[in-house]
Amino acid sequence: MGITERRLRLILDALERDGRVSVKELAARLAISTETVRRDLRDLERRGHARRVYGGAVTDRPEGDQPFDARARVATREKARLAEAALPLFEDGMTVFIDAGTTTLALARLLIGRRLHIHTNALDIAGLLGGACAAQVTVLGGEVRPEYRGLFGHRTLSGLREHVYDVAVMGIVTVHLAHGFMDLGHDEAVIRRAARAQTRRSVILADDSKFGRLGTVRTFALADIDTLVTNAPLARDFAHAFHSAKVDVIHA
């Protein structure tokens, strides 16, 4: 095995372990230039092993197709930065819906101590914020879906439709330029659509690994939501699309 192939193998190992890699970190770790790292990432992308994103690359397997614990370990720093960027959207006294997902869980960790009325279908978020005395937490009923650690179904929808929210915060599996915000399953798409219908401000949280991928269910058009929060500046084509759609974009 040549030097280049050994280096690609090391990068692939890091991708399989962490779900994403950083150009700067790889350059420092492998003692090579950032341009060499970018060339290696382009090579891996051509082979179908990775997809380049802002500052690095991610595995080309949709995050939503992995177990929850595995998803929770992917892009943890990016999700934390994204969550911090979303904090100015919340004011004490608000009634907020937060759906089930690893990115929304990252946000919930930063809401501990805030005086909010939280409604959620996420078991982890309910457990996390339910122990914070400042928050009032309502868990929407439904059928437990272990792969999402959430509650779904007609009871969840009925609970959602009984309330009007100041802000509804949702994750998403992919963001596609032509097809909009997409999910892998119908159940989560239906919950997100219902939440959007019951809120004054709909917010999608999506880290940069979500952009450009195809899901299987078209949940929203790009113009259907009010605010997008992400961890990095958008690529030019997405920036233009969201500007044209009059969507407020916030990035860390």
Side-chain angles (χ1 to χ4, degrees):
M1 183 185 294
I3 293 173
T4 300
E5 288 300 322
R6 283 200 297 271
R7 194 170 64 238
L8 293 178
R9 183 67 259 172
L10 289 171
I11 296 173
L12 270 177
D13 289 344
L15 274 168
E16 289 170 5
R17 183 183 65 248
D18 302 325
R20 70 182 295 141
V21 290
S22 158
V23 169
K24 290 182 180 178
E25 288 178 2
L26 284 173
R29 184 172 142 204
L30 301 175
I32 57 178
S33 70
T34 56
E35 183 51 44
T36 299
V37 175
R38 292 189 180 95
R39 187 166 59 246
D40 287 346
L41 294 180
R42 284 196 295 270
D43 193 0
L44 290 173
E45 186 175 54
R46 282 195 297 269
R47 300 182 190 189
H49 297 306
R51 187 170 65 83
R52 287 178 295 156
V53 297
Y54 185 86
V58 297
T59 55
D60 209 31
R61 181 184 177 192
E63 183 187 327
D65 201 26
Q66 302 174 34
F68 190 94
D69 286 339
R71 300 201 309 272
R73 292 192 296 269
V74 172
T76 53
R77 284 179 298 180
E78 288 75 13
K79 291 171 183 174
R81 290 180 64 230
L82 181 161
E84 191 168 351
L87 283 180
L89 298 174
F90 303 94
E91 298 177 5
D92 284 354
M94 280 185 167
T95 300
V96 179
F97 170 76
I98 307 176
D99 78 352
T102 59
T103 309
T104 50
L105 179 58
L107 172 65
R109 292 191 182 103
L110 299 184
L111 295 179
I112 294 173
R114 298 290 295 270
R115 290 184 172 83
L116 299 168
H117 302 279
I118 303 288
H119 290 216
T120 186
N121 66 323
L123 299 175
D124 288 323
I125 291 174
L128 178 71
L129 294 178
C133 59
Q136 179 182 318
V137 179
T138 299
V139 182
L140 301 175
E143 298 176 8
V144 175
R145 294 279 300 276
E147 67 271 33
Y148 295 107
R149 298 218 189 137
L151 298 156
F152 296 86
H154 71 274
R155 293 183 184 88
T156 319
L157 290 170
S158 295
L160 259 173
R161 289 166 178 158
E162 289 176 0
H163 303 275
V164 174
Y165 300 99
D166 295 299
V167 179
V169 186
M170 299 163 280
I172 202 70
V173 175
T174 69
V175 188
H176 192 272
L177 199 60
H179 299 289
F181 297 98
M182 304 188 77
D183 280 297
L184 292 178
H186 184 68
D187 287 347
E188 58 268 41
V190 168
I191 293 293
R192 300 196 218 281
R193 290 176 195 143
R196 174 183 171 270
Q198 298 301 121
T199 188
R200 296 184 178 92
R201 185 172 193 172
S202 55
V203 179
I204 292 283
L205 308 181
D207 71 71
D208 57 354
S209 69
K210 306 292 181 69
F211 291 82
R213 294 184 173 188
L214 267 174
T216 55
V217 179
R218 187 174 187 266
T219 305
F220 303 120
L222 295 181
D224 285 346
I225 60 109
D226 299 308
T227 302
L228 169 70
V229 186
T230 187
N231 61 296
L234 296 177
R236 183 177 299 176
D237 50 359
F238 277 104
H240 176 74
F242 282 113
H243 177 75
S244 298
K246 296 181 172 54
V247 173
D248 183 23
V249 177
I250 301 170
H251 65 76

